[in-house]
Amino acid sequence: MAAEKEALEADKKVVYAKFVAMVAEKGALKAKFKDAEARAEGEIRSLKDEAENAWSHGKEEFLKSSEFDDLCAQKSLAYFVRGFKSCLAQFRANGYTEEEHPTPFLSVARALEDLSNDEEEADDDSPEDEATPTNSPVL
């Protein structure tokens, strides 16, 4: 019985030693996990920063591109045409028919032509012309 008691005590010590080793291993694994988690968070932050910088740079380049200018022109033209058609609808809704009141100036194509002519004339004007109005007498 004493031999069995000593054998059980020895087994108890072995089991306790294994328990202590497992607790130590658990602590080491927790430390490794925390370290890996911190590195992953740092890498995620770094990747987010890189992505934001790339997006910001790409956005600036896009805003300077002719593709962006084309998109803006398409949207503004669509807005102009929609507004023009809305005005025509208001004329018609208030009894102004094209038969009774011919309005050749109410053409989208003609309005766009006039608009481009106005822009060309504005480009042709020089600052000197603006300084002396055409109606003012020359001294």
Side-chain angles (χ1 to χ4, degrees):
M1 193 141 153
E4 275 185 41
K5 186 176 178 183
E6 285 181 23
L8 288 175
E9 287 291 325
D11 285 344
K12 181 180 171 185
K13 288 181 181 178
V14 169
V15 170
Y16 185 74
K18 285 182 181 179
F19 172 76
V20 169
M22 288 178 144
V23 169
E25 187 178 343
K26 179 182 173 185
L29 288 174
K30 276 187 177 181
K32 281 184 181 180
F33 176 76
K34 292 273 186 191
D35 185 47
E37 187 178 40
R39 273 187 278 132
E41 286 176 0
E43 288 178 20
I44 289 170
R45 249 183 271 115
S46 174
L47 289 173
K48 280 183 179 178
D49 290 344
E50 287 178 26
E52 287 176 11
N53 289 337
W55 165 250
S56 182
H57 179 70
K59 184 173 100 174
E60 289 174 15
E61 291 298 316
F62 176 71
L63 291 175
K64 293 177 186 176
S65 72
S66 62
E67 183 182 354
F68 177 72
D69 291 340
D70 292 343
L71 288 172
C72 287
Q74 289 173 357
K75 289 292 183 182
S76 62
L77 179 62
Y79 183 75
F80 175 78
V81 170
R82 188 174 293 131
F84 198 89
K85 288 181 180 179
S86 174
C87 288
L88 285 177
Q90 289 178 20
F91 272 114
R92 291 181 185 128
N94 288 306
Y96 288 92
T97 62
E98 292 182 33
E99 293 83 28
E100 294 176 21
H101 305 283
T103 52
F105 61 90
L106 293 179
S107 162
V108 173
R110 184 168 177 188
L112 288 173
E113 286 175 11
D114 291 345
L115 184 62
S116 64
N117 288 339
D118 291 345
E119 288 176 358
E120 289 173 7
E121 289 175 8
D123 291 342
D124 292 341
D125 288 341
S126 65
E128 296 169 3
D129 293 340
E130 292 174 11
T132 34
T134 55
N135 298 346
S136 66
V138 178
L139 299 175

